[in-house]
Amino acid sequence: MRFSAFLSTSVAVASLAFAQTDTATMNLTALINSNQNLSELNSLLSAMPDLAAGIANMTNVTLFAPSNAAFSTLNSSNPGLLAGLVSSQNYIQALLSYHLVPNMSVMAANISSTPSFLPTALNATMYANVTGGQVIEARLGENMTAEIISGMKDVANITQADVKYNNGIVHIIDSLLSIPANVSATAEAADLTDFLGALRATNLTAPLNAASDITVFAPNNEAFQNISSALSTLTAEQITNILEYHVINGTIAYSSSLANASLPSMAGTNLTITVDKSTGAVFVNSARVINADILIANGVLHVLDNVLNPNNTANATSPDQPVFSGASGSASSTGDMLTSGIAAPSTTNTALVATDSTVAAGYTTRMGAGGSAASTGPLSTSSKGIGMPVATGAVGAAALFGGAAMVLNW
Ligand SMILES: *[C@@H]1O[C@H](CO)[C@@H](O)[C@H](O)[C@H]1NC(C)=O
Ligand SMILES: *[C@@H]1O[C@H](CO)[C@@H](O)[C@H](O)[C@H]1NC(C)=O
Ligand SMILES: *[C@@H]1O[C@H](CO)[C@@H](O)[C@H](O)[C@H]1NC(C)=O
Ligand SMILES: *[C@@H]1O[C@H](CO)[C@@H](O)[C@H](O)[C@H]1NC(C)=O
Ligand SMILES: *[C@@H]1O[C@H](CO)[C@@H](O)[C@H](O)[C@H]1NC(C)=O
Ligand SMILES: *[C@@H]1O[C@H](CO)[C@@H](O)[C@H](O)[C@H]1NC(C)=O
Ligand SMILES: *[C@@H]1O[C@H](CO)[C@@H](O)[C@H](O)[C@H]1NC(C)=O
Ligand SMILES: *[C@@H]1O[C@H](CO)[C@@H](O)[C@H](O)[C@H]1NC(C)=O
Ligand SMILES: *[C@@H]1O[C@H](CO)[C@@H](O)[C@H](O)[C@H]1NC(C)=O
Ligand SMILES: *[C@@H]1O[C@H](CO)[C@@H](O)[C@H](O)[C@H]1NC(C)=O
Ligand SMILES: *[C@@H]1O[C@H](CO)[C@@H](O)[C@H](O)[C@H]1NC(C)=O
Ligand SMILES: *[C@@H]1O[C@H](CO)[C@@H](O)[C@H](O)[C@H]1NC(C)=O
């Protein structure tokens, strides 16, 4: 059943196509009304006239408008979900705010293969703790398609760009954006079970989820497993100190802002960020960032291939150097220690578990082998052989459903 079927019947759907109309003098309401491809969005907004009027009144904004196909993909994978959500005005308001970039006219020509992180109007603390508004990532993907990347690395494509109206610009996208989830839900979807177990064992899960503006460097499971012998000799206090060394409190460092720097960690001791000029690879001390820019409710998470040690700050001059002396380990030993009681993820999110040994500052993943956007990136990418994340409707819907379910249970 179509989403609109659940909504008010007084929805006017005109049949003008943008291409045949000068939209620049229209207001947002008229513009959305005039495009057949936005009738589901129109239905949603019509059900919330105050919100719609508020959005239409904002000046100089960029709206990423989900097409009918975006709604029907969601509705076919989760029938009734959106209809149920309409009863949660807070959630719909937050979701629509996340599709809106205020005080900025973002034209398609501004989107390049260097990702940019655009602050949206989503700032309600129930959904985001990012000062200035939760961000979306905009970049050119494979075949120069402009992509908008949101929570769980869900990818929406811009299918019609630069539609002007009196107060701003609309880009039509083929999938709804997903509000980023908190650290624990995101780490779970990314299969970072040992990291989750370590957070729980050190009572850091709740403080991290409640923080604002953080950068989390999360070692993958193999990284923890490689040092399980060392971990088993450490006190709880030492493990806490190690975990805190993986978090920057008060600064969100997206890949585009990662540069050679020394940054204070939550543990007090500084982290050394190094960007390899020839390959663009990013290192935190001697560990490598293997999956960058996973947006979380209160900042960003980057996956590392090694656990960091505040007492051994070897840097990228010795990449991947073991920083826990004499450490060895196997999957089962650490797995038991840190993850007992931590459920394996129920779904695997390809984009989150993908590892990419060539993640680069200002030039992150998702460049398929031979990706043609290479020429506009700041780095040489000729040998990049990174798997494209599979951002299917099902993945997007699952992520959205997670958020939705949470809201409906409150
Ligand atoms: C938007 O434009 C339509 C058509 O011109 C008009 O009927 C409507 O009143 C306008 N809405 C606002 C809020 O100005
Ligand atoms: C929209 O702007 C008009 C004129 O500035 C104002 O009268 C109206 O109250 C505003 N509506 C909303 C919903 O903010
Ligand atoms: C409108 O957007 C442009 C481009 O993003 C920006 O340079 C300008 O400062 C904005 N104007 C206002 C009044 O916010
Ligand atoms: C969210 O943004 C709106 C509009 O800019 C502002 O009025 C409001 O105070 C902000 N709320 C928070 C929690 O920052
Ligand atoms: C990119 O273009 C190539 C050549 O036309 C095509 O084979 C490939 O499937 C395209 N990739 C995507 C993700 O559409
Ligand atoms: C976005 O475009 C890519 C490449 O053309 C395609 O594989 C993917 O399915 C599209 N995403 C959606 C949500 O349609
Ligand atoms: C975590 O909290 C529990 C319950 O308050 C406490 O017993 C335990 O010692 C704490 N663990 C650490 C590492 O602080
Ligand atoms: C992060 O820093 C803020 C401000 O200094 C502080 O209030 C907060 O408790 C810190 N968060 C954590 C998790 O340490
Ligand atoms: C934002 O922070 C507040 C206060 O710590 C917390 O209650 C809320 O759950 C956080 N929001 C999200 C989406 O995590
Ligand atoms: C780091 O070294 C100090 C001083 O030797 C020691 O007290 C502390 O426990 C060590 N921390 C870790 C995580 O090994
Ligand atoms: C730690 O980083 C801060 C901020 O970059 C810097 O001011 C400070 O000098 C650094 N401390 C050390 C010991 O390198
Ligand atoms: C990296 O480590 C080497 C060797 O210990 C040291 O000489 C260099 O100063 C370090 N670089 C940074 C940026 O800390």
Side-chain angles (χ1 to χ4, degrees):
M1 201 185 308
R2 297 296 293 266
F3 175 43
S4 50
F6 294 99
L7 295 168
S8 96
T9 51
S10 61
V11 176
V13 182
S15 55
L16 291 175
F18 285 155
Q20 295 155 343
T21 318
D22 178 15
T23 59
T25 57
M26 289 183 171
N27 60 40
L28 184 63
T29 314
L31 175 89
I32 290 175
N33 245 304
S34 74
N35 190 297
Q36 285 179 311
N37 203 17
L38 297 178
S39 55
E40 299 291 335
L41 178 64
N42 196 15
S43 302
L44 186 57
L45 286 171
S46 301
M48 285 163 223
D50 292 347
L51 176 62
I55 293 176
N57 250 15
M58 294 170 73
T59 54
N60 206 23
V61 303
T62 305
L63 173 69
F64 294 93
S67 65
N68 290 349
F71 283 100
S72 70
T73 303
L74 182 61
N75 206 39
S76 60
S77 50
N78 275 292
L81 172 64
L82 273 164
L85 284 176
V86 172
S87 61
S88 173
Q89 290 255 346
N90 276 346
Y91 181 74
I92 290 292
Q93 177 152 4
L95 186 61
L96 289 174
S97 305
Y98 191 50
H99 287 71
L100 200 68
V101 175
N103 305 319
M104 221 187 267
S105 301
V106 183
M107 305 295 287
N110 301 135
I111 299 175
S112 76
S113 51
T114 300
S116 42
F117 296 86
L118 308 172
T120 69
L122 174 58
N123 68 357
T125 61
M126 193 177 183
Y127 300 98
N129 284 305
V130 172
T131 301
Q134 180 57 281
V135 304
I136 51 176
E137 177 186 350
R139 53 164 291 140
L140 281 184
E142 202 180 352
N143 295 350
M144 309 303 274
T145 308
E147 297 175 339
I148 305 299
I149 299 154
S150 54
M152 303 293 177
K153 280 202 167 173
D154 285 351
V155 179
N157 305 307
I158 295 183
T159 52
Q160 187 175 355
D162 299 341
V163 184
K164 289 192 177 131
Y165 68 97
N166 67 345
N167 276 340
I169 293 167
V170 168
H171 302 287
I172 301 184
I173 52 175
D174 62 4
S175 146
L176 274 88
L177 304 177
S178 303
I179 296 175
N182 65 18
V183 179
S184 11
T186 305
E188 187 185 336
D191 193 28
L192 297 167
T193 43
D194 285 3
F195 176 69
L196 268 179
L199 287 183
R200 189 189 53 175
T202 53
N203 295 334
L204 282 171
T205 314
L208 282 196
N209 283 336
S212 296
D213 301 330
I214 60 172
T215 303
V216 178
F217 296 104
N220 66 7
N221 291 341
E222 198 184 348
F224 278 101
Q225 286 154 11
N226 286 339
I227 62 155
S228 59
S229 66
L231 282 177
S232 61
T233 66
L234 296 172
T235 63
E237 194 188 355
Q238 287 171 322
I239 296 182
T240 304
N241 189 236
I242 289 169
L243 265 285
E244 288 177 347
Y245 192 49
H246 290 75
V247 179
I248 300 172
N249 180 16
T251 300
I252 308 181
Y254 303 106
S255 68
S256 56
S257 54
L258 285 175
N260 290 352
S262 188
L263 297 172
S265 74
M266 223 174 104
T269 324
N270 278 12
L271 296 163
T272 303
I273 311 287
T274 311
V275 179
D276 183 316
K277 283 203 182 69
S278 60
T279 62
V282 177
F283 293 87
V284 181
N285 291 357
S286 63
R288 196 186 285 259
V289 173
I290 53 173
N291 193 335
D293 297 325
I294 300 175
L295 300 178
I296 53 178
N298 50 2
V300 71
L301 181 150
H302 307 288
V303 181
L304 297 183
D305 68 351
N306 272 307
V307 180
L308 305 171
N309 183 350
N311 282 354
N312 183 342
T313 57
N315 62 43
T317 54
S318 42
D320 298 328
Q321 171 184 305
V323 290
F324 290 89
S325 58
S328 62
S330 66
S332 56
S333 44
T334 310
D336 291 342
M337 197 178 92
L338 293 178
T339 63
S340 63
I342 300 269
S346 50
T347 53
T348 304
N349 186 320
T350 320
L352 300 186
V353 300
T355 62
D356 169 11
S357 59
T358 59
V359 164
Y363 190 97
T364 48
T365 58
R366 291 180 300 276
M367 194 63 62
S372 57
S375 56
T376 49
L379 307 155
S380 161
T381 56
S382 53
S383 61
K384 285 184 191 298
I386 309 151
M388 282 284 289
V390 184
T392 62
V395 170
L400 182 61
F401 185 71
M406 185 175 74
V407 170
L408 294 176
N409 289 341
W410 283 346

